[in-house]
Amino acid sequence: MDVKQFCSLQIFELVYLLVLAFLPFVVAVREVTIAILTVLAIGTAVVVIRYLLLRRVDPEGRVVFISGCDSGFGNACARRLDLHGYTVIAGCLNAGSEGAALLQASTTGRMHVVSLDVTDEDSVFQCMAKVKEFCQNKGLWAIINNAGIASFGDIEFTSMEKYRQVLEVNLLGSIQLTKLCLPYVRKAKGRVINMSGASGLLSAPGQSAFCISCFAVEAFSDALRIEMQPFGVKVITIRPGNYLGATGILNKSACGKVKTEFDQLKNSTDQEVLNAYGTKHLDTQLEQLSDLSKSTASSLVNVVTAMENAVTNLSSGSQYLVDGGSQLFDVSNILIKLRPFVPASWHDSLVSKNFRQGTTVQAVQ
């Protein structure tokens, strides 16, 4: 049992004991009981009223275009929207993948799987021909920019080529697809949905390439949201928390690729840098990433529900921060919420302890 699990267990036991201790008092004192029941009644009423006032989009004839549907959030969201009655254009990097086959197995007639490499201009324009075929009359209700890749390793270990690759997919790919789709989205007064992440609000050591791309997506979304207001187009940002291990970024099969990437880092990094950080630095980081993959949320449901709400709710919010992780709370999201209220040095220390446990860097003499 690690420290987080131990703390979660202790908190649960403390709450349980407090409930047992104060329950007789609550039952015995009539005023306290009435107050608690009143609060519960008001809370229930608020939930019911929100549900009754919830206005759903009529899916009939509405088209949703999603990139990165080979696996993870994109694949799950495409299947859910298909079942809800939306026409879905699902872009897959590999149209022959298991995820693409799962989408093609839909019998509704509303699911359309297309090949899409957001870094290949020919692939993008071929895909857009399919989008135009469905959207030229009614427009495009929503585009979900979900395609993304991650890279791990400290800044001195990460090559410029890797930075360019991550930005090409996560940022420039989203920008290009959005620009091509905007005429159809404006026609439908629809919405642009960008998948960012907690990494778009919290930059973690050893993940700079991925975090930089997410921060850039946040900036892109903020600018576009204001520019699209006169057209009645919504721009929505969804920030999944600790879900890397439940997606193709850091799941069991991806961890093998990460190990290969770290082996390449060892071979390609200057010896002076390796000596400065210590011979075990990369090995320790790899172990931490393996631990992270095990501590992430086991299900994609909460994020896919946020994506669904962004598409189907007429009064959807503009930003969603979705807690993840297998622990009692999502540490990264807690750090994001704490940031405005604590000194930068304290926050840096908390981030370092959370992401760099056990890492020892040799001081330069």
Side-chain angles (χ1 to χ4, degrees):
M1 180 182 294
D2 60 23
V3 176
K4 294 177 186 176
Q5 290 175 320
F6 176 77
C7 292
S8 300
L9 181 60
Q10 296 305 310
I11 292 172
F12 173 78
E13 290 180 350
L14 177 62
V15 172
Y16 178 71
L17 290 174
L18 288 173
V19 170
L20 289 180
F22 286 97
L23 187 59
F25 172 76
V26 171
V27 173
V29 181
R30 182 169 174 269
E31 289 77 7
V32 174
T33 304
I34 291 174
I36 291 176
L37 290 175
T38 301
V39 171
L40 290 175
I42 292 173
T44 303
V46 168
V47 171
V48 171
I49 290 172
R50 282 183 176 177
Y51 177 78
L52 293 175
L53 292 178
L54 182 64
R55 295 185 300 154
R56 293 288 184 186
V57 176
D58 181 4
E60 182 66 30
R62 295 192 189 270
V63 182
V64 179
F65 173 34
I66 311 173
S67 66
C69 290
D70 297 78
S71 61
F73 302 131
N75 189 281
C77 183
R79 287 185 280 120
R80 185 179 292 192
L81 293 176
D82 173 40
L83 291 176
H84 283 328
Y86 289 85
T87 297
V88 178
I89 302 174
C92 294
L93 179 62
N94 179 7
S97 65
E98 291 183 10
L102 187 61
L103 297 176
Q104 289 166 342
S106 170
T107 59
T108 64
R110 294 185 296 266
M111 178 71 72
H112 306 274
V113 179
V114 296
S115 295
L116 174 61
D117 179 350
V118 296
T119 66
D120 185 321
E121 198 166 81
D122 289 337
S123 176
V124 169
F125 283 109
Q126 288 175 16
C127 179
M128 284 306 302
K130 190 73 172 180
V131 174
K132 182 178 180 180
E133 177 185 332
F134 284 95
C135 300
Q136 55 187 354
N137 294 325
K138 292 187 177 181
L140 178 63
W141 175 247
I143 172 176
I144 304 179
N145 287 305
N146 174 72
I149 60 173
S151 178
F152 302 98
D154 287 350
I155 292 170
E156 282 199 273
F157 292 86
T158 304
S159 67
M160 290 306 299
E161 180 184 358
K162 180 59 68 174
Y163 278 111
R164 292 188 186 99
Q165 181 186 7
V166 174
L167 289 171
E168 187 75 26
V169 176
N170 298 2
L171 175 64
L172 299 181
S174 296
I175 293 175
Q176 183 177 31
L177 281 183
T178 301
K179 284 170 66 68
L180 292 171
C181 287
L182 278 178
Y184 305 109
V185 177
R186 280 192 280 104
K187 187 173 185 178
K189 293 183 185 284
R191 46 202 60 188
V192 176
I193 302 166
N194 292 325
M195 301 297 292
S196 171
S199 297
L201 300 175
L202 179 72
S203 194
Q207 301 178 29
S208 63
F210 182 57
C211 294
I212 288 169
S213 69
C214 289
F215 268 73
V217 168
E218 292 282 338
F220 168 58
S221 299
D222 286 347
L224 185 65
R225 184 172 59 253
I226 297 171
E227 291 176 6
M228 288 294 107
Q229 284 177 352
F231 302 102
V233 171
K234 287 192 172 186
V235 178
I236 301 166
T237 311
I238 298 179
R239 304 158 178 152
N242 189 359
Y243 286 87
L244 291 179
T247 68
I249 291 178
L250 207 58
N251 60 17
K252 187 176 292 186
S253 61
C255 282
K257 297 178 183 177
V258 174
K259 185 180 184 307
T260 301
E261 185 176 341
F262 269 64
D263 290 338
Q264 292 172 347
L265 287 179
K266 286 182 181 179
N267 296 327
S268 62
T269 303
D270 187 83
Q271 190 62 45
E272 185 276 331
V273 175
L274 290 173
N275 292 339
Y277 282 79
T279 55
K280 294 184 178 180
H281 181 73
L282 288 175
D283 293 333
T284 302
Q285 278 196 331
L286 187 59
E287 291 175 7
Q288 291 168 351
L289 288 173
S290 178
D291 291 338
L292 175 62
S293 70
K294 297 171 185 175
S295 69
T296 59
S298 59
S299 170
L300 304 176
V301 169
N302 289 343
V303 176
V304 176
T305 298
M307 296 169 75
E308 175 194 0
N309 190 66
V311 172
T312 65
N313 185 358
L314 282 173
S315 302
S316 63
S318 61
Q319 299 173 342
Y320 295 81
L321 179 62
V322 188
D323 286 343
S326 59
Q327 310 302 319
L328 186 63
F329 48 82
D330 189 325
V331 178
S332 297
N333 287 3
I334 293 295
L335 290 171
I336 288 170
K337 295 168 185 175
L338 277 176
R339 189 169 192 168
F341 306 103
V342 298
S345 59
W346 292 12
H347 193 267
D348 288 349
S349 178
L350 291 171
V351 172
S352 181
K353 287 179 180 178
N354 184 59
F355 288 97
R356 308 205 75 149
Q357 296 173 4
T359 299
T360 302
V361 177
Q362 295 178 359
V364 178
Q365 300 298 322

